[in-house]
Amino acid sequence: MFRLEGIMSPMVTPFTRDEQIDEDALRKETRFLADAGVHGLTVCGSTGEGYAMRSEEIGRVTSIVRDEAGSQTPIITGIIADSAKIAIDLGMAAKKSGADGLMVTPVHYVFSPTSEGTVEYYRRIGETIGLPIVIYNVIPWNVISVDLVVRLMEMEKIRGIKQSGGDIHVLADMIRAIGDRIPVMTAIDDMLFPSFIIGASGAIAAICTIAPNLCLEVWEAAKDRDLKKGIEIHHRILPVWRAIGKGDMPARAKEALRQLGRHVGPARNPMISVSDQARKEIHDALLEAKLLT
């Protein structure tokens, strides 16, 4: 099943104190998000620390989430790599473990390939693995332009884009150019409601994992063109993302979940436990959003 629409939560990967996958906690997180009613799940992306995981771990996480979520929930696995060979190794592990599609970043090391190199990168991954691909447009120094996305769409396996790079202006350009042909998912966590109003097909954003019910509400408000409700929820989401959306976001996201009673352990080194100041900032934001009492 491959469906790219609505609120698709990018899951954290729970770890034990010694940074091993906490399978019980992962199953609990999967059930929590499924019970909330999200429309799909992504694993091993940025929020899920996929950049710090081996192929066998990516396969194991995908397998556990697939088993717990069932066959009717779309599951997309993140592939964050710097060569086609490594991306294919990761993607094959995900495919064998039940992923419905792959969410693939451009390369992220210091160097950037030519446009032709990027096209070849996605072509080789798609043809070798055979799963649908969502372009994960997130690398600040290797942003995939609208024109390049149009070229990539000529490939059968390119089935959507998660637009993280830039801001809502770039998202608007992307929706205008290609939104009638493939789904454009927003990853601008503090601008979900405006993103939906201008035509985003849904969201794959960390805030959808931290506050899935609020995100589902704002999605429905946008569909209903209920501006009053949508703006009210937007203002509840905003402070939460302001507290979490910083350089150590995976650690901050896990701290937010801990405060919400969802224990997912630490982030992997070099992410470390957040400071007392950050912990208070997150707590105050969750209170303001009425996620804590």
Side-chain angles (χ1 to χ4, degrees):
M1 169 183 274
F2 181 85
R3 185 178 69 246
L4 203 63
E5 183 181 21
I7 302 302
M8 302 187 72
S9 297
M11 297 182 66
V12 302
T13 303
F15 294 122
T16 60
R17 287 188 178 182
D18 59 353
E19 299 189 8
Q20 300 302 307
I21 295 169
D22 187 334
E23 297 191 4
D24 288 341
L26 180 58
R27 289 185 182 278
K28 287 179 183 177
E29 268 297 290
T30 305
R31 290 195 298 270
F32 178 88
L33 292 167
D35 290 346
V38 299
H39 303 109
L41 298 167
T42 65
V43 299
C44 305
S46 302
T47 306
E49 301 175 76
Y51 54 83
M53 297 170 66
R54 302 184 302 273
S55 59
E56 59 268 27
E57 293 177 314
I58 285 174
R60 185 59 184 149
V61 168
T62 302
S63 177
I64 291 168
V65 173
R66 165 57 71 209
D67 179 62
E68 200 64 41
S71 61
Q72 297 305 305
T73 300
I75 295 173
I76 298 173
T77 299
I79 303 298
I80 305 173
D82 271 314
S83 74
K85 184 180 187 308
I86 294 174
I88 288 166
D89 287 345
L90 300 174
M92 289 302 296
K95 180 179 182 179
K96 291 175 182 177
S97 301
D100 296 303
L102 306 176
M103 187 172 69
V104 183
T105 66
V107 299
H108 58 280
Y109 188 57
V110 173
F111 307 110
S112 299
T114 62
S115 295
E116 289 72 22
T118 297
V119 169
E120 181 58 27
Y121 181 69
Y122 280 97
R123 177 178 288 114
R124 185 171 166 189
I125 295 167
E127 290 179 353
T128 303
I129 300 175
L131 285 179
I133 291 175
V134 179
I135 298 168
Y136 185 6
N137 201 8
V138 67
I139 309 302
W141 53 91
N142 193 12
V143 174
I144 298 180
S145 68
V146 173
D147 289 343
L148 186 50
V149 171
V150 171
R151 288 181 60 188
L152 289 166
M153 283 170 49
E154 296 174 4
M155 301 179 203
E156 177 190 357
K157 293 303 180 184
I158 300 298
R159 301 281 292 279
I161 183 167
K162 173 181 173 179
Q163 183 57 40
S164 302
D167 52 27
I168 198 165
H169 304 289
V170 180
L171 176 72
D173 289 340
M174 198 70 72
I175 291 169
R176 182 171 182 268
I178 64 169
D180 60 340
R181 287 176 281 175
I182 63 171
V184 179
M185 303 292 282
T186 183
I188 308 174
D189 297 68
D190 57 350
M191 297 291 278
L192 295 191
F193 188 55
S195 296
F196 299 152
I197 291 296
I198 65 172
S201 300
I204 304 174
I207 196 69
C208 301
T209 291
I210 295 158
N213 292 307
L214 285 183
C215 294
L216 286 162
E217 287 185 49
V218 83
W219 168 250
E220 292 299 327
K223 285 171 57 180
D224 295 340
R225 291 299 189 262
D226 188 340
L227 296 182
K228 182 178 179 181
K229 181 176 182 181
I231 292 168
E232 185 270 326
I233 300 170
H234 165 79
H235 286 304
R236 289 175 63 188
I237 289 173
L238 188 61
V240 178
W241 185 245
R242 287 288 181 268
I244 291 168
K246 302 190 179 182
D248 58 345
M249 187 274 288
R252 286 175 177 253
K254 286 186 167 181
E255 171 60 23
L257 295 184
R258 185 195 67 78
Q259 293 190 27
L260 291 167
R262 296 156 60 189
H263 297 283
V264 293
R268 275 187 170 170
N269 191 288
M271 298 295 170
I272 60 174
S273 297
V274 302
S275 65
D276 289 342
Q277 179 180 348
R279 194 170 291 113
K280 182 180 186 305
E281 183 182 354
I282 293 166
H283 183 77
D284 290 346
L286 294 173
L287 284 173
E288 187 176 351
K290 301 177 184 177
L291 295 172
L292 289 177
T293 56

